Amino acid sequence: MKDDLVLLTGGAGYVGAVLAPLLLRSGFRVRVLDLYLYGDDVLGRGGAPGLEQVKGDIRDLSVVREAMRGVKSVIHLACISNDPSFELDPGLGRSINFDAFEPLVHEAMNAGVRRFIYASSSSVYGVSDQPNVDEDHPLHPLTDYSKFKADCEPILLDRSSPDFNTLVIRPATVCGYSPRQRLDLTVNILTAHAINNGRITVFGGAQKRPNIHIGDICRFYLELLRAPEESINGRIYNAGYQNHTVSQIAEIVRSVLLGRGVLKEVEIVTTPSNDDRSYHISSERIARDLGLRANHTIEDAVSDLAEAFERGLLPDAMTDERYYNVRLMRRVELR
């Protein structure tokens, strides 16, 4: 499949900004379809050999139809990507995360796309006290964001065929450094607050949060493009690594930063939270079936972020809206 053209919807986002260069280095050609709300230079000014960039909306079928030309595989990352951003404008969230999905799948099929990988979310499990939530666990989405993530899965899987391979990935919360950095994700925001304020505020703390390093989830996507059709078609896979409570993550952040000598002390303050999402996912199936195992830890993610701060790669981390989806969404007034 080397030299095949891969379409990354949302490819200029947090994950896409790491994934696109990885695919290019691995011999794929990449076309990115994105609104580029977080800047036109996320993937570098002038692009790179083998990279095409299309600025457009996945709700615009004429744009989607053109973006699908010659594409062999689609990795669908584009969405309003967290609960607070979604709740700013539920109608907008639905239109992008759900209403646009089935037409996108149809356009892919009509264009002769062979493989369609959908980035769902492990948040579809909601709350579970099971020690290991696998892919057969009932879904209990607690928010519209996770509900629509779940609702899109059967739309895609019902269209599986030998000519149209489909795959659903339910990633854990991604962490670590990206050229399109997000600091509104658990590990990342705790690290940013510790480094910039010397203090971490933990909301609740007992909630379990599965995590996966951005380098690992991008490597998984790469290998899923290479995997034999019979091993991925119509499948659902969790993709995570370490499962810790928010309080445990805060302690990891503090330990790494103190160990690196970044800070002499980090205060952890715990306050109540109404965020009840809590689950401990199992990623054994993707390891057993495809040999895909994460090998970067939360500690690695914190170290990567600390290095990025040290190198001045994350200026104005606590105030610049580009690091926080909900802040930027408030300003751009996307409709």
Side-chain angles (χ1 to χ4, degrees):
M1 300 183 72
K2 192 172 181 180
D3 296 325
D4 281 356
L5 179 58
V6 179
L7 176 64
L8 296 184
T9 68
Y14 174 54
V15 171
V18 176
L19 177 58
L22 174 62
L23 296 182
L24 291 169
R25 292 194 303 271
S26 302
F28 289 91
R29 293 180 295 127
V30 175
R31 181 178 294 151
V32 167
L33 173 58
D34 200 294
L35 286 167
Y36 290 87
L37 296 179
Y38 297 88
D40 293 332
D41 60 347
V42 171
L43 297 172
R45 295 192 181 278
L51 174 66
E52 301 175 47
Q53 300 190 66
V54 179
K55 190 172 185 177
D57 195 316
I58 62 168
R59 296 172 293 176
D60 185 335
L61 285 185
S62 63
V63 171
V64 169
R65 195 169 295 124
E66 185 63 28
M68 290 287 180
R69 289 183 182 273
V71 168
K72 291 297 184 184
S73 300
V74 173
I75 301 178
H76 181 45
L77 304 172
C79 67
I80 302 297
S81 60
N82 62 1
D83 292 318
S85 297
F86 193 104
E87 289 161 7
L88 280 179
D89 187 339
L92 172 69
R94 179 188 173 109
S95 72
I96 292 176
N97 289 17
F98 182 71
D99 294 340
F101 185 75
E102 190 165 13
L104 183 76
V105 173
H106 282 157
E107 291 300 330
M109 296 177 70
N110 290 339
V113 168
R114 295 281 305 177
R115 184 167 302 199
F116 194 113
I117 300 171
Y118 170 50
S120 184
S121 169
S122 62
S123 67
V124 297
Y125 297 117
V127 175
S128 177
D129 57 5
Q130 293 295 312
N132 270 302
V133 172
D134 66 17
E135 293 84 350
D136 296 324
H137 190 281
L139 306 187
H140 296 293
L142 299 180
T143 64
D144 282 346
Y145 166 76
S146 52
K147 175 183 182 297
F148 290 132
K149 281 290 189 183
D151 288 347
C152 286
E153 294 183 4
I155 291 174
L156 178 64
L157 296 176
D158 286 350
R159 288 159 175 79
S160 299
S161 75
D163 296 322
F164 187 64
N165 293 178
T166 66
L167 177 67
V168 170
I169 291 292
R170 294 173 180 163
T173 302
V174 184
C175 56
Y177 175 73
S178 166
R180 203 310 256 177
Q181 187 60 50
R182 285 184 63 183
L183 295 177
D184 53 2
L185 299 165
T186 307
V187 172
N188 299 357
I189 196 168
L190 295 182
T191 304
H193 276 267
I195 289 174
N196 289 277
N197 299 330
R199 172 176 174 155
I200 299 172
T201 299
V202 172
F203 294 95
Q207 313 99 309
K208 293 177 182 176
R209 286 286 187 276
N211 291 272
I212 188 166
H213 190 283
I214 193 166
D216 282 321
I217 189 61
C218 289
R219 177 171 55 85
F220 280 20
Y221 284 126
L222 169 62
E223 294 305 326
L224 292 170
L225 290 174
R226 294 169 165 168
E229 294 180 356
E230 62 273 11
S231 66
I232 60 98
N233 194 16
R235 305 290 179 85
I236 298 173
Y237 288 114
N238 290 340
Y241 186 23
Q242 294 163 296
N243 291 268
H244 291 299
T245 67
V246 178
S247 290
Q248 289 170 336
I249 294 170
E251 291 290 351
I252 290 170
V253 170
R254 175 161 65 180
S255 175
V256 170
L257 296 180
L258 293 179
R260 286 177 62 95
V262 176
L263 299 167
K264 292 184 178 179
E265 186 51 67
V266 178
E267 180 185 10
I268 297 178
V269 178
T270 301
T271 64
S273 172
N274 59 4
D275 184 351
D276 296 326
R277 291 172 301 147
S278 183
Y279 42 90
H280 184 293
I281 69 168
S282 167
S283 298
E284 284 304 309
R285 182 174 296 178
I286 197 169
R288 182 184 67 243
D289 291 1
L290 301 176
L292 293 179
R293 293 175 175 83
N295 51 32
H296 291 88
T297 63
I298 291 172
E299 287 85 350
D300 292 331
V302 176
S303 291
D304 293 345
L305 289 166
E307 181 178 348
F309 278 111
E310 290 165 3
R311 294 172 57 194
L313 299 178
L314 300 172
D316 306 314
M318 306 312 294
T319 57
D320 194 326
E321 64 188 13
R322 63 181 159 157
Y323 304 122
Y324 304 91
N325 286 7
V326 69
R327 295 184 193 177
L328 189 129
M329 293 296 294
R330 283 197 184 103
R331 180 179 64 78
V332 298
E333 297 182 351
L334 182 64
R335 292 289 181 265

